[in-house]
Each structure stands twice: as C-alpha cells, then as structure tokens.
C-alpha cells in the first residue's frame, strides 16, 4: 500500500460537502416519500398491500445489491466517477417515470434508481472520509449529512401530499428529483475532487465488500446498523397502523405522529454534529440507544394513549445513532477501502429495512394485533442497548481508531499546517 494525497483547499472541501449534502436530501425525497406514494399506487392500479409494497422492496433491493456488489467502484474508479455513474442512473430512472404508465415498469425504474443510489452513496461516503481530518470530524460530518437526509425525508412526503391535493400525479416527486439530480450531475462533473489519501498496491476487487463481511469489526457495526434500522422501521412503517385505532382526545397528534418523528429525527441529526465532538462516541451511542429503548417500552406498557407521545419522541435519540455507527464503522478501515466498507454497511442497512418490517407484520398478523410490531421494535432497540453497553465496557475499537487517525489523517494535518504557513 502506498500513501499519497493532494491538498484540497477549504473552499473546495466545503463545495464537495455541500454537494454530498444535496445528494442525500435529493434521494431522501423519493425513498422516504414511498409511504405516501404507495396508497396512491394501490388505488390507481387496483393492487393489494403486498403488491403495492413492491415500491419499497424494489428500491431497497436495488440499493442492497449495488452496495454489496458495486461499492468497490469508489475505491477502484475513484470517488468522482463512481458518484457520476450513480447519479446518472438515478436521474435517468427518475425522469423515465414520465415515459410510461405501467406498474411493473415503475417497479423496474425504482430498482434501477436503487442501484444508482447504492453506487453514488458509497462514493459519497468514501469522499467524506477523504475530506475529513480525523475520525471524530468524520462522525460530525456524517451526522450533518444525515441531517440533510432528514430534511429531504420531510420535503418528499409533503410534495406528494400537495400533488395529490391539487389533483396532480404522484409521479411529480420523481420528476422533481430528476431535475435536481441533473443539476447535481453538472456540479459533480465540474467540481475538483481530491486524490484518495490511500493508493492500494493492488486494485480493489469486486469481492472486497464480501471479504470484509468476515471481519469482526465490520460485523459489529453491520449488526448494530441492522438493529437500529429494525427499531426505526417499527416507527415509520407500523406506527401509523398501530395508532390508527386510537380514539382518545389526541387524534390529530396520532395522525401526524410519523411526521413529528421525521422532524425530530432531522433536528436531532444536526444535534449529532455537536455531541460526538464533545463526548466519547461509545457513551453517546449507549445513552441514545437506552433512551430510545426506554421510550419504546413506555409506549408498549402505556398503550396507544402514551404511544402517540413516546413513539415520535424516539426520533430525537434515533437521529444520532445511525450516522455515528456508520461513520465510526467506516473510520475503522483504511481510506483505500472506504468505498467497500461503506457499501457493506449500506447492504446491512437495506437488508434490515426489507426484512424487519416483514417480520413485524407477520408477528402482528399471527397474534392478531399490530401492537406486537411495536413490541418487536422494542426488542430490537433493547438488543442494541446490550451491544452498546458491551462496546462501552470493552472499548474494542479504541486502538484501531487511534491507528487509523495516525495513518490516514496525519498527512492531512501536515499538509494543512504547511498550507497555513505558506
């Protein structure tokens, strides 16, 4: 392995970070608006719930496949080329919604857009590693990125709701995303990207992400992300169904519970920029996961009357968990493998996003009450607390993160000092 770098001016770093922020907000508009799109699709094509849910499964399957199979592109082809390939795939598939009116055609487009998301997201996450000057700064930036994702998750469903209200087609949200994607493609093509800090002596192999799956560190962070996503799915997938049976005096609040959850999640992710900079990341994860699990169990014990307050409140604590787990997991590996490990962790995320809601729905059907979906979410949250507790007590990754700081970020700091002196 050979080390090399190219200094990136602060202004250039800010432009590239802003580009990544916009990417995450853009694709969140489509992925997190699927819950409001599916009822319209079911009505328009006269579908059942399982068929309508294909809009969710197609996108997540595409992301999962490209993340595990194509994440290595960011390490082999470079961040810029990988990001452009993914953005072009996403943009063309989103624009193609205007060209047809067939359900299976739309499902295919969502699968292709998912492939594109997996590719450019792996490249973007690897780029953030190149631009960061320490593992701690990496975590702060990742929280900020996820904050912009949260903003997109609020805007997308609002656009769909507005389009439906004025009698326009729900497809408009994908056409808007395509226009935004076109602007991002031009910006990315014109931007100057830094050379990767690490140049590997051998080209990164397509099987790199699969090989990393056997690394205990990758398994720890991948399983933590799966538990987090499973708990989150209990809120944004099944909380509306669970709270639909509420008949108390807070019916309006029950109707907007998931919207409040998304707002708190977005706000909390900006708070996450501050927390990892001032406190040990292991204790931040433990505190936030414990608070999240406690709110879940309060909702389970208190019933729907309490759940309409407790379940949305989990968003404030969930917000810090995903970006901190993800960024720290990536930082545990050298920058020459950031694309591959980012793809692997994204694969774990998507697998959980597909199968956890299915398991919750099956449990609710088997026991005849949707509250058991929330119970299973509470179980997953509690398992994450146990994992985070072990992490605090054993500190298994402390030495590895120190080593990565020394090896991957030392040159950045030296070049920054040289540039300042000049």
């Amino acid at each position: 392995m050979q080390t090399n770098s190219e200094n990136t001016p602060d202004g250039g770093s800010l432009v590239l970070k802003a580009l990544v922020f916009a990417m995450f907000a853009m694709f969140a508009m489509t992925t997190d608006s699927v819950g409001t799109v599916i009822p319209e699709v079911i009505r328009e094509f006269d579908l059942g719930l399982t068929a309508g849910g294909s809009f969710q499964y197609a996108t997540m399957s595409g992301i999962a496949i490209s993340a595990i199979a194509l994440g290595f592109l960011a390490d082999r082809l470079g961040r810029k080329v990988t990001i452009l390939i993914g953005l072009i795939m996403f943009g063309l598939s989103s624009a193609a919604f205007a060209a047809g009116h067939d359900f299976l055609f739309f499902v295919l487009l969502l699968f292709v857009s998912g492939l594109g998301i997996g590719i450019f997201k792996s490249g973007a996450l690897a780029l953030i590693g190149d631009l960061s000057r320490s593992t701690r700064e990496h975590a702060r930036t990742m929280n900020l990125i996820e904050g912009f994702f949260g903003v997109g998750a609020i805007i997308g469903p609002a656009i769909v709701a507005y389009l439906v209200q004025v009698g326009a087609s729900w497809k408009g949200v994908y056409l808007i995303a395509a226009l935004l994607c076109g602007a991002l493609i031009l910006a990315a093509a014109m931007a100057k990207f830094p050379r990767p800090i690490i140049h590997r002596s051998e080209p990164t192999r397509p099987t790199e992400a699969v090989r990393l799956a056997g690394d205990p560190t990758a398994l720890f962070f991948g399983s933590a992300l799966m538990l987090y996503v499973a708990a989150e799915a209990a809120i944004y997938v099944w909380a509306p169904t669970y709270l639909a049976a509420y008949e108390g005096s807070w019916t309006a609040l029950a109707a907007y519970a998931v919207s409040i959850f998304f707002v708190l999640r977005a706000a909390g992710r900006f708070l996450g920029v501050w927390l990892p900079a001032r406190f040990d990341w292991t204790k931040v994860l433990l505190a936030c996961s414990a608070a999240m699990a406690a709110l879940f169990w309060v909702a389970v014990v208190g019933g729907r009357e309490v759940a309409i307050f407790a379940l949305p409140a989990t968003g404030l604590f969930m917000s810090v968990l995903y970006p901190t787990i993800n960024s720290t997991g990536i930082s545990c590996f050298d920058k020459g493998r950031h694309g591959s490990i980012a793809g692997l962790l994204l694969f774990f995320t998507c697998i959980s996003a597909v199968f956890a809601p299915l398991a919750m729905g099956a449990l609710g059907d088997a026991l005849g009450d949707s509250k058991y979906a929330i119970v299973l979410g509470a179980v997953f949250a509690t398992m994450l607390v146990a994992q985070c507790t072990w992490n605090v007590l054993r500190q298994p990754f402390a030495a590895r993160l120190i080593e990565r700081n020394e090896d991957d970020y030392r040159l950045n700091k030296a070049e920054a000092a040289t540039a300042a002196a000049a």
Side-chain angles (χ1 to χ4, degrees):
M1 183 185 298
Q2 181 181 0
T3 305
N4 194 10
S5 65
E6 178 180 277
N7 185 53
T8 303
D10 288 343
S13 295
L14 289 175
V15 169
L16 291 174
K17 287 180 180 179
L19 185 62
V20 174
F21 297 158
M23 287 182 210
F24 274 66
M26 173 200 67
F27 84 80
M29 286 174 51
T30 60
T31 57
D32 279 33
S33 65
V34 70
T36 51
V37 168
I38 287 175
E40 300 303 316
V41 171
I42 289 174
R43 186 159 42 248
E44 189 170 328
F45 293 98
D46 192 24
L47 303 172
L49 293 176
T50 303
S54 298
F55 264 45
Q56 163 78 355
Y57 309 141
T59 304
M60 290 300 140
S61 297
I63 296 174
I65 290 172
S66 64
I68 193 69
L70 301 175
F72 78 98
L73 292 177
D75 299 326
R76 174 174 284 191
L77 301 181
R79 317 321 192 194
K80 182 172 185 174
V81 173
T82 303
I83 288 172
L84 285 173
I85 291 173
L87 286 176
I88 290 170
M89 290 179 64
F90 177 83
L92 290 177
S93 58
S94 297
F97 270 84
H101 192 74
D102 180 80
F103 175 71
L104 292 180
F105 176 64
F106 291 150
V107 171
L108 176 62
L109 292 180
L110 288 173
F111 177 74
V112 175
S113 74
L115 292 175
I117 291 171
I119 293 172
F120 77 68
K121 187 173 181 180
S122 296
L125 294 178
L127 173 62
I128 290 301
D130 293 341
L131 298 176
S132 300
R133 291 168 293 185
S134 69
T135 56
R136 191 174 285 255
E137 181 184 329
H138 192 192
R140 292 200 305 269
T141 306
M142 288 289 285
N143 272 280
L144 190 57
I145 288 172
E146 294 296 337
F148 280 92
F149 179 91
V151 171
I154 296 169
I155 294 174
I159 290 175
V160 175
Y162 174 77
L163 291 172
V164 172
Q165 183 180 5
V166 300
S169 172
W170 52 268
K171 294 190 293 183
V173 70
Y174 296 99
L175 302 181
I176 293 171
L179 291 174
L180 293 175
C181 189
L184 289 176
I185 290 171
L186 290 176
M190 296 172 62
K192 182 179 180 181
F193 282 59
R195 287 203 306 268
I197 295 297
I198 301 293
H199 293 287
R200 302 185 65 82
S201 56
E202 297 179 359
T204 306
R205 295 171 295 177
T207 57
E208 182 74 11
V210 177
R211 189 180 68 81
L212 286 174
D215 187 298
T217 301
L219 288 175
F220 174 88
F221 287 100
S223 60
L225 287 174
M226 291 185 75
L227 291 173
Y228 163 79
V229 170
E232 185 185 54
I235 305 295
Y236 74 84
V237 175
W238 290 112
T241 302
Y242 175 60
L243 296 177
Y246 173 74
E247 297 179 347
S249 56
W250 299 93
T251 52
L253 180 61
Y256 289 97
V258 174
S259 298
I260 296 170
F261 167 78
F262 280 132
V263 170
L264 290 176
R265 193 185 66 171
R269 280 177 174 165
F270 288 107
L271 174 65
V273 177
W274 178 81
L275 281 174
R278 288 159 179 81
F279 302 99
D280 178 67
W281 69 275
T282 63
K283 295 177 181 177
V284 169
L285 289 184
L286 177 57
C288 290
S289 61
M292 173 187 69
L295 287 169
F296 260 106
W297 287 115
V298 166
V300 169
V301 174
R304 290 177 176 82
E305 190 74 34
V306 176
I308 59 173
F309 299 99
L311 292 180
T314 60
L316 192 60
F317 300 101
M318 284 189 185
S319 59
V320 182
L321 293 173
Y322 180 83
T324 304
I325 295 170
N326 197 31
S327 63
T328 308
I330 294 172
S331 291
C332 282
F333 294 83
D334 66 74
K335 289 190 176 185
R337 294 188 289 178
H338 272 195
S340 297
I341 187 61
L344 176 63
L345 295 180
L346 182 57
F347 172 78
F348 280 118
T349 298
C350 292
I351 289 297
S352 185
V354 171
F355 289 105
L358 287 175
M360 292 170 185
L363 182 64
D365 284 340
L367 299 179
D369 194 328
S370 60
K371 78 174 183 180
Y372 290 103
I374 308 301
V375 171
L376 188 53
V379 171
F380 286 130
T382 304
M383 292 171 65
L384 182 59
V385 174
Q387 192 170 352
C388 290
T389 301
W390 177 84
N391 189 37
V392 169
L393 295 176
R394 298 294 298 273
Q395 295 289 327
F397 311 109
R400 190 161 181 164
L401 288 169
I402 291 173
E403 180 185 0
R404 295 269 55 85
N405 260 323
E406 286 296 315
D407 291 349
D408 290 354
Y409 297 100
R410 180 179 52 198
L411 284 175
N412 277 18
K413 293 175 182 177
E415 288 183 356
T418 301

